[in-house]
Amino acid sequence: MRAVRTNALSLVRNLGILAHVDAGKTTVTERILHLTGATHRRGEVHDGTTVTDFDAQERERGITIFAAAVSCAWDGHWINVIDTPGHVDFADEVERSLRVLDGAVAVFDAVAGVEPQSESVWRQADRHGVPRIAFVNKLDRAGADLDAAVDSIRERLGTVPLVVQMPVGREDGFTGVVDLVRMRALLWPAGDGELTEGPVPQELRDEALRRRRVLEETVAGLHPAALEEFCDGPEISAATLTAALRDVTRTGEGVVVLCGSAYRNRGVEPLLDAAVAYLPSPLDVPAVRGDVPGGGTAERAADPEAPFTALVFKVHAAPTGRLTFLRVYAGTVGKGTAVLDAGSGRTERIARILRVQADRHREVERAVAGDIVAVVGVKAARAGATLCAPGAPLVLEPATSAAPVVSVAVEAVRSTDTGRLATALARLAEEDPSLTVRTDGETGQTVLSGMGELHLEVAAEQLRRDHGLEVSVGRPRVAYRETVVRGVTGHVHRHVKQDGGAGQFAHVVLDVGPLGDGAGKDGGGEAGGGEEGFAFTSAVVGGRVPAEYARAVAAGCRDALAEGPLGGHPVTGVRVTLTDGATHSKDSSEMAFRTAGRNALREALRACAMTVLEPVAEVTVTVPEDAVGAVLGDLAARRGRVSGSSVRGGTSVVTATVPLAELFGYASRLRGRTRGRGTFTSRPAGYAPVPAGVPVR
């Protein structure tokens, strides 16, 4: 029989499963669902039968891409679990999930210990103040070492590990754990049998007592009540130790460490027990605080009777309907209720409320404080929006989205699909705020930006599979410029046209040269889409070219700057001086002088020494100190010019100017050279000449 939440708030747990890719967090989630009766068949990642990795791409790639919410019941408690991605490209999905969680289980590989993305998601949880317990998984693997994994937790994460279990057996012989809090053995017989409880094996008793003493000493150093009992008696009681571990976990001063093998179904029951014992309920976390529209702030406690307040953390805009995922922080909401999107001021009506089990849903009549549910009927709210009671508006702080670091150009293979592609891209960006879509005003390309190349590969595959679009994906064209290196003087151009009726006559003499630093924009402004520089002056004396005709020459020159002689790129950084000219009493006009100015400058530019400019970016790279050499070598290979380097807290920060064309693929290369621990940010830094011999792409 499917469990239905009837629990009090104190018996609710909202948990996330966090880990590096392949540490086993999806398997942990699947075992939790099977063990609690939420599913009747164990899902396996390698078979593509998992509940939470339900998307076709997740099953093909064998990784979690989209955060999936599931619910289950254990020991009288209601547990909402979000299985989060482990790949660095989907860190934004983790960020949005952590924003609405009260606690988390961090899963570590018993062979690898703390891996790069484990460290990243741990830091994300630190920023959100989410209490965690740790589960060292895969103790049945060759080379598994609980103590080494614990050491890496201490050293890499800077926290105090509180190891409450020790393994029974090693590698293939791993059959269970010793519970150091209650001094008992928990064993799972061969063949994935049920849990059996018994006394600590005699051969392990001395080691278990030693580890129990280490645990007591560590906890006593963090908790006053435990310290008092530790000093007064021979040992700390199980009840006092449990209470102290709960307090230390919730304050973040330490992390409880358990161990097991989720794949072999060993260690999951005590992990669930630890989750409900040590991690907080909605009543144990501070009341949410938000801004009141019009000024001021207010708090909302986790109370079903308080004004309804919920945060949207995920949107799934499927063709069959739009699902909006909510964490309800306060109040109660039922079907048909009108709610306010506090940020936009738009009123929405909730048509249905769904209890979520990954891609399967069950309709419920209402949602109350502490719930994580999906709703149907909300048409416009985006991830990060606050939905609240119309009479008590409050805007909660949304999760922050990182700036995209990789871009690709996307276009429909069939021109008739251009409109559908725009709609599909808008839907992808609505579901995933870390994806951005823009149209390059100069190249006309549709540019899709995201957190990494895998992130963009997944998005492109969604366009093909979910939206039935044939798309081509490639490197965006870089917006090059051309500029004058050495100019010409006294360039003469005569424009004469006589084809019946009024003729056209304009005679101009131009000096053309590079625009010096600090030069103003006289009569020019932006030229043909160029970002700067067109300085135009008239030095004509004696009224040989009237002022209105000089302005027409300036306009014609701006027209000419739209395409340069080297490759048709916009021309920038040019100074033009009109030094002389002549008019005709009948055939001269502003149109004639504009045409003359355009043609004269085009001819003059062909006579000038020109060069192509490329956009460059200022890149700040943060890497471990042992990876600095590899990173500097890679920057040099990308024609980067290092401008500075410093050391901050054990990491090196390198700043460099790098051509934008060379940054394509840099995110993946940097992660590969630093084992996923390197990050970078970039910002536009203007233009620089393309060196001789470098192709213009």
Side-chain angles (χ1 to χ4, degrees):
M1 181 175 177
R2 189 185 297 274
V4 179
R5 179 188 163 185
T6 58
N7 314 71
L9 271 173
S10 62
L11 301 178
V12 174
R13 300 291 184 272
N14 291 312
L15 312 178
I17 310 294
L18 313 175
H20 185 91
V21 65
D22 288 335
K25 58 185 168 31
T26 296
T27 301
V28 170
T29 307
E30 292 296 321
R31 296 302 183 265
I32 288 173
L33 292 176
H34 183 256
L35 190 63
T36 58
T39 59
H40 300 293
R41 180 175 179 270
R42 293 200 307 263
E44 304 292 354
V45 173
H46 57 273
D47 290 337
T49 57
T50 57
V51 172
T52 53
D53 285 355
F54 57 85
D55 185 83
Q57 289 199 72
E58 292 180 308
R59 292 182 171 179
E60 288 176 7
R61 298 175 187 268
I63 62 171
T64 301
I65 296 172
F66 309 105
V70 292
S71 300
C72 59
W74 178 256
D75 192 26
H77 293 73
W78 184 260
I79 305 176
N80 296 311
V81 179
I82 297 181
D83 180 22
T84 65
H87 195 283
V88 65
D89 281 16
F90 308 104
D92 212 60
E93 193 89 356
V94 181
E95 186 77 14
R96 291 192 296 275
S97 299
L98 282 170
R99 176 63 183 83
V100 299
L101 294 172
D102 300 326
V105 176
V107 180
F108 301 96
D109 188 314
V111 177
V114 176
E115 297 174 273
Q117 188 60 8
S118 307
E119 189 174 349
S120 297
V121 296
W122 189 273
R123 303 303 178 207
Q124 287 178 280
D126 279 342
R127 290 198 302 273
H128 288 279
V130 175
R132 281 140 282 169
I133 60 176
F135 182 69
V136 178
N137 191 28
K138 302 187 178 183
L139 274 178
D140 59 319
R141 286 184 59 195
D145 189 332
L146 174 63
D147 292 334
V150 170
D151 287 342
S152 71
I153 291 172
R154 180 184 296 107
E155 295 165 7
R156 296 282 296 277
L157 303 181
T159 190
V160 179
L162 305 168
V163 184
V164 298
Q165 294 177 345
M166 63 172 282
V168 176
R170 292 179 57 85
E171 300 178 351
D172 284 346
F174 171 70
T175 57
V177 298
V178 173
D179 176 1
L180 300 176
V181 176
R182 294 176 175 81
M183 291 303 292
R184 56 181 179 163
L186 305 175
L187 303 174
W188 291 263
D192 299 334
E194 293 185 1
L195 168 65
T196 62
E197 181 180 336
V200 178
Q202 191 61 40
E203 66 273 15
L204 297 176
R205 187 161 184 81
D206 289 344
E207 177 65 13
L209 288 172
R210 185 190 69 80
R211 289 176 179 259
R212 174 60 145 77
R213 192 63 175 176
V214 171
L215 175 62
E216 290 177 353
E217 292 173 353
T218 308
V219 173
L222 300 171
H223 194 273
L227 177 60
E228 183 178 350
E229 191 167 316
F230 181 78
C231 294
D232 290 345
E235 65 177 22
I236 302 176
S237 68
T240 301
L241 195 55
T242 299
L245 289 169
R246 180 187 303 115
D247 293 340
V248 170
T249 298
R250 294 175 185 178
T251 61
E253 296 176 273
V255 56
V256 171
V257 180
L258 302 99
C259 60
S261 169
Y263 181 69
R264 301 293 181 193
N265 296 292
R266 294 166 187 166
V268 181
E269 294 96 327
L271 175 63
L272 281 166
D273 291 337
V276 300
Y278 304 132
L279 292 174
S281 75
L283 294 176
D284 297 319
V285 298
V288 292
R289 175 180 290 272
D291 296 326
V292 178
T297 61
E299 289 186 348
R300 294 281 163 81
D303 180 358
E305 303 302 322
F308 172 70
T309 308
L311 186 70
V312 178
F313 69 94
K314 184 179 176 68
V315 172
H316 182 51
T320 55
R322 188 179 194 269
L323 289 180
T324 303
F325 291 78
L326 309 175
R327 161 67 193 268
V328 182
Y329 282 102
T332 302
V333 67
K335 292 193 301 183
T337 303
V339 297
L340 175 71
D341 183 338
S344 67
R346 178 189 177 104
T347 299
E348 304 267 14
R349 188 169 295 278
I350 294 177
R352 299 166 62 205
I353 302 173
L354 305 174
R355 185 74 65 190
V356 181
Q357 204 74 350
D359 60 336
R360 298 188 290 273
H361 315 105
R362 178 173 55 84
E363 190 166 345
V364 295
E365 293 297 317
R366 63 175 191 156
V368 301
D371 272 337
I372 293 178
V373 295
V375 298
V376 178
V378 176
K379 296 181 173 60
R382 304 288 295 269
T386 303
L387 300 183
C388 56
L394 189 70
V395 180
L396 302 179
E397 181 182 358
T400 57
S401 290
V405 296
V406 178
S407 301
V408 292
V410 182
E411 64 179 7
V413 172
R414 295 187 295 267
S415 59
T416 54
D417 286 339
T418 301
R420 289 180 58 216
L421 175 61
T423 301
L425 287 171
R427 181 172 290 168
L428 288 183
E430 180 182 11
E431 292 185 347
D432 185 352
S434 61
L435 285 172
T436 63
V437 182
R438 64 180 175 85
T439 301
D440 190 300
E442 295 177 8
T443 66
Q445 289 180 303
T446 298
V447 179
L448 180 65
S449 302
M451 303 308 299
E453 291 178 59
L454 177 59
H455 189 200
L456 297 179
E457 284 178 21
V458 168
E461 194 63 26
Q462 284 182 275
L463 292 173
R464 297 183 182 103
R465 294 188 182 192
D466 300 345
H467 300 276
L469 289 166
E470 290 185 49
V471 295
S472 61
V473 178
R475 181 194 298 268
R477 289 195 298 268
V478 172
Y480 291 98
R481 299 281 190 270
E482 297 177 24
T483 194
V484 175
V485 176
R486 186 178 64 255
V488 297
T489 59
H491 181 79
V492 179
H493 179 79
R494 179 185 291 263
H495 173 65
V496 180
K497 184 177 182 181
Q498 193 73 47
D499 54 2
Q504 293 186 27
F505 177 88
H507 176 87
V508 296
V509 181
L510 302 180
D511 289 350
V512 179
L515 180 62
D517 293 340
K521 297 178 183 178
D522 181 12
E526 302 229 349
E531 290 186 22
E532 53 179 275
F534 169 49
F536 179 88
T537 56
S538 175
V540 179
V541 296
R544 293 177 59 81
V545 179
E548 63 272 21
Y549 290 170
R551 287 192 293 270
V553 174
C557 290
R558 286 195 296 273
D559 295 341
L561 295 176
E563 295 182 1
L566 298 181
H569 311 293
V571 179
T572 187
V574 179
R575 178 184 293 280
V576 177
T577 304
L578 177 63
T579 60
D580 200 2
T583 63
H584 187 277
S585 59
K586 292 184 179 179
D587 293 342
S588 290
S589 63
E590 290 185 20
M591 179 182 294
F593 273 89
R594 181 165 185 161
T595 302
R598 180 174 63 248
N599 294 336
L601 185 54
R602 285 176 177 170
E603 294 171 358
L605 291 175
R606 286 194 289 269
C608 292
M610 303 284 292
T611 190
V612 177
L613 302 176
E614 62 182 344
V616 295
E618 183 182 279
V619 177
T620 301
V621 188
T622 304
V623 295
E625 289 187 77
D626 58 4
V628 171
V631 169
L632 290 176
D634 189 46
L635 287 173
R638 294 173 184 271
R639 300 190 284 119
R641 292 184 293 109
V642 175
S643 56
S645 177
S646 62
V647 178
R648 304 174 190 166
T651 61
S652 293
V653 180
V654 178
T655 56
T657 302
V658 185
L660 190 62
E662 302 291 347
L663 284 179
F664 188 81
Y666 183 61
S668 296
R669 177 66 66 88
L670 177 64
R671 289 166 186 161
R673 289 181 177 269
T674 62
R675 295 185 62 224
R677 298 170 64 194
T679 61
F680 83 98
T681 60
S682 65
R683 65 180 183 86
Y687 282 78
V690 177
V694 174
V696 176
R697 292 177 281 207

